[in-house]
Amino acid sequence: MKGIKPRRLAMAGCTFAFIAPGIAGAQGSITLQGVIDAGVTYVNNQHGGAATLFDSGVLSPDLLTFKGSEDLGGGNRAIFELTSQFDLGSGATIPGAGQIFNRTALVGLTNDRFGSLTFGSQYDFMFETLTLGLYDGAFLFGGIYDFRQGPFTALGVPNNPTGSFDFDRMAGATRVGNSVKYRSPDISGFTLGALYGFGGVPGSFSSDSTMSFGANYTNGPFGIGAAYVEVKYPQLGDGHDGIRNFGVGAHYNFGSVLGMVLYTNTKNTASGAKIDVFKGGASWTISGAWTLGLDYAYMKGNDVLLNNKAQQVTTALQYSFSKRTTAYVEAIYQRASGDAAVTRAWINGLLQPDGAASNRSQTLARIGLRTSF
């Protein structure tokens, strides 16, 4: 997009060409790429006290990715992707537990005319359509802190570190294992996709299963996208209930400014707990090297969540030394309210013990550096 140069989660660094053994004339490539982010974060109120933290993987996760493709002829290619996320401070994989490729692990076929079909552990369309489609400023400048959490622990997302971490799945922190995914080719600006995850229970089509759909349309500077995902959990209604998300976003490129609006809706179908999110933001390329971002989000829970609400403002300034390396500073303020006697603000990504504030407000400031290869 003219005037806006968004940097993806990782950039290709080096490519090794090879001839597939035993298949005369079959050409392919393997790409090794990655991204590393580190910095220092100050939080004014974590359980009543200030904290200064070394934190990594904030503006974008720390990733190491292997991608490959092989030309099969007739416009067909075989593809694979293996991605590991790690903690820069310790060198350990995230979330660990022996999962080497804990971010993505997929293989499939792709054709420029018919689209792609992939199998494995991969992203749903809340992330692929809405986040990668540039409808959320968190992807461009806010990072993990700018995605959604707040005073909504009672949402009760199973297997979630806080019960509401990244509750609308826009950060891509949760992938869909054992899944089949189709993406259409670009047809006059339209792209479509569908995913089904079979879950982890043999012989079951309901427990821990996932369905997701996405659609996107771009026409010059304008883009609009919509996505849906529902994950069934054994902990909710014996696998018949789950967490359902849908969202719609739009953006417009004004040249040096990319404006974005986003709406998401998250519901626990077992308890009826629901959160509506309304978000608007802009990324302004001040010059070739400097970029300024500003986001505002309003999160509103229903009566099951004691009508808890949160408003969050994020601002970030970035300086690009090159296409690969960016230094940045950001600041975030969240203000919570609701019917509970104590409603605690909680900025997303603060996963330390007692990471929430002791009262209704929490402020964060960070300085960091990201590089890719």
Side-chain angles (χ1 to χ4, degrees), residues 108-324:
L109 296 170
T110 184
N111 180 287
D112 291 339
R113 290 181 58 196
F114 302 111
S116 64
L117 185 67
T118 51
F119 307 84
S121 176
Q122 44 200 331
Y123 296 111
D124 63 62
F125 286 96
M126 290 296 290
F127 177 75
E128 183 160 312
T129 297
L130 296 180
T131 302
L132 297 185
L134 306 183
Y135 303 113
D136 192 342
F139 177 71
L140 292 174
F141 54 81
I144 192 67
Y145 297 146
D146 193 24
F147 289 104
R148 268 65 69 194
Q149 184 168 261
F152 306 111
T153 298
L155 179 64
V157 180
N159 311 319
N160 186 290
T162 69
S164 62
F165 168 76
D166 182 33
F167 58 76
D168 57 10
R169 299 176 70 95
M170 292 283 292
T174 306
R175 274 71 60 199
V176 182
N178 305 317
S179 62
V180 180
K181 184 177 187 178
Y182 170 75
R183 305 178 190 87
S184 77
D186 187 311
I187 305 172
S188 301
F190 285 99
T191 54
L192 304 170
L195 174 147
Y196 184 79
F198 290 87
V201 180
S204 171
F205 288 92
S206 62
S207 182
D208 206 21
S209 63
T210 300
M211 289 191 301
S212 183
F213 306 95
N216 193 58
Y217 173 72
T218 57
N219 184 358
F222 174 74
I224 186 168
Y228 172 93
V229 61
E230 183 170 7
V231 183
K232 305 284 189 181
Y233 291 96
Q235 302 95 320
L236 300 178
D238 294 325
H240 297 288
D241 285 296
I243 305 297
R244 184 221 64 205
N245 282 280
F246 67 84
V248 60
H251 66 237
Y252 194 89
N253 188 354
F254 296 91
S256 62
V257 177
L258 178 68
M260 299 157 281
V261 291
L262 175 71
Y263 168 76
T264 68
N265 177 284
T266 302
K267 183 176 181 180
N268 182 323
T269 62
S271 68
K274 185 177 71 171
I275 307 172
D276 294 293
V277 176
F278 305 88
K279 190 175 185 188
S283 177
W284 175 29
T285 301
I286 303 172
S287 69
W290 292 94
T291 301
L292 178 66
L294 179 66
D295 258 351
Y296 169 77
Y298 176 69
M299 299 169 269
K300 180 181 183 299
N302 65 356
D303 56 350
V304 179
L305 296 173
L306 301 176
N307 296 305
N308 280 358
K309 305 175 186 66
Q311 298 183 72
Q312 182 166 304
V313 177
T314 300
T315 185
L317 181 65
Q318 299 177 351
Y319 179 81
S320 297
F321 294 100
S322 67
K323 291 182 179 180
R324 291 172 45 192

